[in-house]
Amino acid sequence: MTESNDEWKESLKSEKAFHEFIINYFKAHKELTGTYDIPSYYEHYVVRLDNSDGIIISLTTGMNQTSGNAPMTLPTKEKEKMSIEDFRTLILNKKFADQNMSLADVFQTVAGVPSNKDNRS
């Protein structure tokens, strides 16, 4: 991500500034993706802005096939939609802004995806 941690955190101080920051971010990036993958399990998320300026987080989870005889399980897909202001409020209430987290880290946490660096097998 090209923005500094300080830039998005500074925008949190105002509903209008954060809204503009998110709109501009998604104009430049179209989507934000992330993944968590261990030998037995995976999670992938995609964050986009919809036409009505809502944030859509799509999460796909599933089990990795570990042997040739194991039945293939279908991935689970979930989608969550929230307003930009609801997202800003969530960040403020969870105190993500006080931690050394990037915007990508916050989206990952909101999507429920564990950190790869914290959960390696």
Side-chain angles (χ1 to χ4, degrees):
M1 298 178 73
T2 58
E3 88 287 341
S4 71
N5 282 348
D6 294 334
E7 187 178 347
W8 74 268
K9 289 178 183 179
E10 185 64 27
S11 74
L12 284 169
K13 294 178 182 177
S14 148
E15 179 178 347
K16 182 180 178 190
F18 190 70
H19 188 272
E20 289 175 10
F21 175 84
I22 292 293
I23 296 295
N24 290 332
Y25 177 84
F26 282 106
K27 279 182 183 176
H29 297 91
K30 302 297 180 212
E31 67 181 26
L32 175 70
T33 61
T35 189
Y36 171 75
D37 202 352
I38 60 174
S40 62
Y41 180 77
Y42 65 87
E43 294 184 357
H44 304 284
Y45 71 93
V46 178
V47 182
R48 293 187 178 97
L49 201 62
D50 72 5
N51 292 336
S52 61
D53 291 346
I55 294 172
I56 298 175
I57 302 172
S58 301
L59 179 65
T60 303
T61 60
M63 303 301 285
N64 289 321
Q65 190 170 353
T66 56
S67 73
N69 295 334
M72 190 66 147
T73 60
L74 295 175
T76 303
K77 297 182 180 190
E78 299 175 39
K79 193 176 281 190
E80 182 173 345
K81 182 175 179 179
M82 66 180 68
S83 70
I84 293 172
E85 179 55 15
D86 286 347
F87 181 60
R88 183 178 86 94
T89 302
L90 179 66
I91 293 170
L92 293 171
N93 289 339
K94 294 284 189 175
K95 307 220 182 315
F96 294 136
D98 297 338
Q99 300 173 21
N100 188 23
M101 295 179 82
S102 69
L103 186 59
D105 294 334
V106 173
F107 275 121
Q108 177 176 324
T109 302
V110 170
V113 178
S115 170
N116 271 331
K117 57 188 163 213
D118 295 337
N119 296 307
R120 281 281 172 202
S121 300

